[in-house]
């Protein structure tokens, strides 16, 4: 028979192990669902919860980059983040799409790379190339925050795992 002290201490030992993280023997990775793309979006975290930040494509056009005009037309766009922090703000994917909203090319836009405005917004501009620039109908933003992606189970079995942002869309993805 086991002494009464062992039965009294056992629940406490289980609580300590649980709080220390030793109880999670299985590491799992999941990917968040991609939100609906738009010209103006409410940025969401990996749980789909709003971050109180909006991101917007203010304008866009096709034109050669002044430093590399021989490359032909590139997508040039201005963006705006409202409610974002310059230091640790969110990032969203910007995609040039055709008239059916099929991605022609995408690039991640970081609010931290923009410039603070007097009204508190952060604005910036970016360039990226697409294979068929003449097909670009608009530039859309995907609302999922891409600024933080925790370690995966594959890279760190003890501290990795959890929900990760959706993969960046690639050419041909329907948005």
């Amino acid at each position: 028979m086991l002494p009464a002290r062992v039965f009294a201490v056992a629940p406490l030992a289980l609580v300590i192990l649980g709080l220390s993280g030793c109880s999670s023997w299985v590491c799992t990775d999941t990917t968040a669902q991609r939100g609906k793309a738009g010209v103006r979006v409410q940025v969401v975290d990996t749980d789909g919860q709003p971050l109180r930040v909006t991101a917007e494509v203010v304008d866009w056009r096709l034109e050669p980059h002044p430093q590399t005009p021989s490359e032909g037309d590139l997508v040039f766009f201005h963006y705006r983040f409202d409610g974002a922090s310059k230091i640790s703000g969110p990032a969203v994917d910007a995609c040039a799409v055709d008239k059916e909203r099929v991605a022609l090319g995408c690039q991640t836009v970081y609010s931290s790379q923009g410039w603070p405005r007097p009204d508190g917004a952060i604005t910036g501009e970016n360039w990226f190339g697409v294979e068929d620039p003449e097909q670009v109908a608009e530039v859309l933003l995907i609302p999922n925050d891409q600024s933080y992606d925790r370690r995966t189970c594959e890279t760190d079995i003890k501290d990795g795992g959890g929900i990760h942002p959706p993969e960046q869309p690639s050419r041909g993805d329907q948005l």
Side-chain angles (χ1 to χ4, degrees), residues 29-115:
D29 287 311
T30 57
T31 302
Q33 290 287 342
R34 186 182 295 157
K36 183 174 172 52
V39 173
R40 182 179 168 94
V41 296
Q42 178 74 30
V43 182
V44 296
D45 64 15
T46 52
D47 292 321
Q49 298 302 308
L51 295 179
R52 297 187 185 148
V53 175
T54 58
E56 177 180 10
V57 175
V58 178
D59 67 2
W60 70 273
R61 62 185 174 273
L62 294 171
E63 65 182 41
H65 191 286
Q67 295 174 341
T68 56
S70 63
E71 290 183 13
D73 283 343
L74 300 176
V75 177
F76 176 64
F77 67 102
H78 291 266
Y79 60 87
R80 175 184 176 100
F81 284 90
D82 285 300
S85 164
K86 171 71 174 137
I87 296 169
S88 62
V92 295
D93 289 325
C95 296
V97 298
D98 66 13
K99 60 185 175 184
E100 278 88 36
R101 294 175 62 111
V102 173
L104 301 172
C106 298
Q107 182 179 69
T108 303
V109 179
Y110 296 84
S111 62
S112 61
Q113 294 175 331
W115 303 278

Side-chain angles (χ1 to χ4, degrees), residues 70-170:
S70 63
E71 290 183 13
D73 283 343
L74 300 176
V75 177
F76 176 64
F77 67 102
H78 291 266
Y79 60 87
R80 175 184 176 100
F81 284 90
D82 285 300
S85 164
K86 171 71 174 137
I87 296 169
S88 62
V92 295
D93 289 325
C95 296
V97 298
D98 66 13
K99 60 185 175 184
E100 278 88 36
R101 294 175 62 111
V102 173
L104 301 172
C106 298
Q107 182 179 69
T108 303
V109 179
Y110 296 84
S111 62
S112 61
Q113 294 175 331
W115 303 278
R117 309 299 294 177
D119 65 358
I122 295 172
T123 62
E125 55 191 39
N126 233 332
W127 297 84
F128 65 96
V130 295
E131 195 170 304
D132 299 306
E134 68 281 353
Q135 292 182 9
V136 177
E138 64 184 326
V139 176
L140 302 176
L141 300 175
I142 298 174
N144 304 86
D145 181 16
Q146 297 287 333
S147 65
Y148 174 73
D149 193 8
R150 64 183 60 179
R151 292 177 286 214
T152 64
C153 294
E154 184 177 297
T155 59
D156 188 345
I157 192 74
K158 182 178 178 288
D159 297 322
I163 301 176
H164 302 276
E167 300 243 348
Q168 185 180 47
S170 53

